[in-house]
Amino acid sequence: MIELRNISKAFAEKQVLKDVSATFEQGKVNLIIGQSGSGKTVLLKSIVGLHDIDNGDIVYDNRIFSEMNFKAKKNIRKEIGMLFQGGALFDSVTIEENVMFPLDLFTNMQFDEKIERVNFCLNRVNLENVNKLFPSELSGGMQKRAAIARAIALNPKYLFCDEPNSGLDPKTAIVIDDLIKEITQEYNITTIINTHDMNSVIRIGDKIVFIFQGVKSWEGDRKEIFNTNNQELNNFVFANEFIKKMKP
Amino acid sequence: MNFFSHMGRYSCLLKKVFSKPEKFSIYYRRTIKEIDNLGINSIGIVAIISLFMGAVITIQTAYNTENPFLPDYLIGLTARDTLLLEFSSTIVCLILAGKVGSNIASEIGTMRVTEQIDALEVMGVNSASFLILPKVIGFVFIIPFLVVISMFIGIVGGMLAGSISNTISVHDYVYGIQYAFMPFYVIYALIKSLFFAFIITTVSSYSGYFVSGGALEVGKASTRAVVNSSVLILLFDLLLTQFLLG
Ligand SMILES: Nc1ncnc2c1ncn2[C@@H]1O[C@H](COP(=O)(O)OP(=O)(O)O)[C@@H](O)[C@H]1O
Ligand SMILES: [Mg+2]
């Protein structure tokens, strides 16, 4: 479980996150939704410590991350897998070396064991015969899957995904969404996904946190989201004509 | 941002770069790779410009000293000292600032805007040290070899040009390049080159590491890397020359 307690973050004069509190549960797909520019990426990067927050606490299973020193944070980082918006695969090395990278860094496994683990992870995301290819030789969807393979290489307890299906066609987007959901349940991971895609919300959102202009404006599950009085959330959810028709 | 905030951020970056490496074997492999990428891959351009500049310096010197009272071997001597003192260190490093500097800034800048640096940081890697240290060590290690290669090829270029154009005989040239030879000139050039290699790698890395935005900003960072490291090379050339020869 990950808990956010009253976190705030500003860049220079610009206040991006204002007093955000939320909890994200283990074994569930937790979604952070909101318009582009509402602060989702900043929130996610603050949770993993890529941005230092100005106020508040971030708690990983009763361990207060935001108060730790670099070394203690590093121990938690071993338990974190992260999928970035563009995949963020290292483009100077092959897919195999990308997935092996965390293993090289944090384990003392023999080369054979590492290869075995790499192949297992690539298999898990349904990628075959890509070991020796470079990221630029893969399609967008395959890059995302390879990045998921890298994120799960160390058996993470926490998985973070920033807009995992942005830039993908609807069908591939579903494949990625389902994959993340399966992995979350299979390994009982605390997964947090940023998205502005209502299809993902309907399909995989176990718990949903809605961010509006840097403030947490609503939280609930995917059934409740269609019956809310929250005006901003309604505007967001029913922006799409098709979904508007589903309104009860 | 003003000059002082850049200096402050640059110093902080260097402090991060030179902190203790986490896993030595990975750093070792990366350093070898950078020696190849930044150093070995630059031998070609260093050889070509040195050959031609050695030739041009020799012919120009011959042209400027067409005087029956001056012995021919002075041409060899002048070409040698020009190459040793200034060309093979400063000018070669200025040219490498263009090649290596833009390469480093665009590589690191691209990693920044595509979140590859964030990916490293999330894994708990000190990205500054991981990306930059191998480049600094690799290039500072290889630069003396490049400088010596440049000196040698430049002198050979002068000899070839002199004899082909019939301005100076091989015999006089060889006599000239040995005449009043000061080994310290080579040391001086090598010392300068170490500073220059450090400037090129750190300044360019700095420029790439703090890019924000997209491809356009990466391009700008790359240009800035070349301009800033060139200016700093010239400044340090002056300071070091004053300090070492003055
Ligand atoms: N490093 C930064 N420096 C300054 N402002 C930033 C930075 N990162 C994000 N912002 C600002 O924070 C706001 C939220 O951005 P972001 O979290 O990327 O939105 P999104 O919800 O689309 O992911 C934007 O207005 C953006 O300009
Ligand atoms: Mg975003």
Side-chain angles (χ1 to χ4, degrees), chain A residues 11-12 14 16 34-43 51 85 162-163 194 196, chain B residues 212:
Chain A
F11 292 105
K14 192 174 160 61
V16 178
Q35 267 181 310
S36 211
S38 55
K40 301 183 299 294
T41 300
V42 172
L43 180 58
H51 294 312
Q85 192 160 358
D162 194 4
E163 312 253 356
N194 271 357
H196 58 239
Chain B
S212 66

Side-chain angles (χ1 to χ4, degrees), chain A residues 64-97:
Chain A
I64 304 180
F65 184 69
S66 39
E67 284 178 359
M68 291 177 177
N69 60 18
F70 182 79
K71 211 160 179 185
K73 275 187 181 162
K74 204 169 158 177
N75 282 327
I76 295 210
R77 290 209 160 117
K78 285 180 201 167
E79 302 172 357
I80 290 178
M82 184 150 180
L83 174 62
F84 287 87
Q85 192 160 358
L89 293 167
F90 304 126
D91 40 30
S92 58
V93 297
T94 62
I95 297 300
E96 180 174 283
E97 289 168 301

Side-chain angles (χ1 to χ4, degrees), chain A residues 90 101, chain B residues 111 116-125 127 130-131:
Chain A
F90 304 126
F101 188 87
Chain B
M111 292 190 74
Q116 293 174 53
I117 291 184
D118 285 337
L120 285 169
E121 290 283 335
V122 165
M123 293 180 203
V125 178
S127 61
F130 183 81
L131 295 174

